[in-house]
Amino acid sequence: ILGMGGEPKDFGTPGVKDHGFTLWSFEDSIRIREHILKTVAKAAIEPDAQVRRAMLTFVVCGSGFTGIEMIGELIDWKNRLAKDYKLDPSEISLKVVEAMPTILNMLDRNDAAKAERYLKAKNVDLVLNAPIVEVTKDHIILKDGSTIPTHTLIWTAGVKGTTDAADFGLEASRGNRLVANEFMEAKGYEDKNIYI
């Protein structure tokens, strides 16, 4: 039985690996937490208003379950961060950037609309129809050419099969996903008792 799992997919977007954060493992979550704490601490003493605003803008790319759960955690953490670093909570900006025109596209529209209303009530800026085409150290660039100044991009926009799965020589489809038949047997190896 092959249960290889998956890994983040950045669609080849320049800068994601160098300047973005993925949320795929416990280690990723610790790295994000430490980065946010350091960034907010630096922003609290930053004299340049424009730089400070970028440092206090936290962007999540992707509006599936992982992205919306991540922004929910930031909503819950925002007031505590502001209190700990003697900031006005309104200085901390939260954004969800999504390439599609709607969020939570795996849900029916009524349920997704409830989540959208909640996010807007919590002052989360939903930037829709806005694929990210490049990530830099201090801003992201959207397909329409506009930019969002930020020092924190958390990438939750895609999943692909683990690259280790290629080592088995089994047939794969889009996103490195191994192909199985209706019985979860590896396609082409039905007589070998290989299950995916």
Side-chain angles (χ1 to χ4, degrees), residues 150-189:
T150 183
H151 291 218
T152 308
L153 171 73
I154 302 168
W155 187 273
T156 68
V159 178
K160 64 181 178 179
T162 179
T163 50
D164 293 338
D167 295 342
F168 291 102
L170 301 174
E171 183 179 340
S173 66
R174 185 177 62 89
N176 291 344
R177 290 172 174 87
L178 298 179
V179 179
N181 66 18
E182 67 271 21
F183 304 108
M184 299 304 295
E185 296 169 317
K187 188 172 178 188
Y189 293 87

Side-chain angles (χ1 to χ4, degrees), residues 15 18 37 53 75 86 93 100 131 139 162 169 175 185 190-191:
D18 296 329
L37 288 170
R53 194 166 30 257
I75 289 167
K86 297 175 179 46
S93 175
M100 303 295 287
H139 68 281
T162 179
E185 296 169 317
E190 290 83 359
D191 60 337

Side-chain angles (χ1 to χ4, degrees), residues 63-84:
S63 70
F65 289 134
T66 303
I68 298 306
E69 287 175 21
M70 181 69 237
I71 206 72
E73 291 299 321
L74 292 173
I75 289 167
D76 289 345
W77 200 17
K78 179 179 172 177
N79 288 334
R80 182 66 198 199
L81 284 168
K83 182 179 179 184
D84 288 350

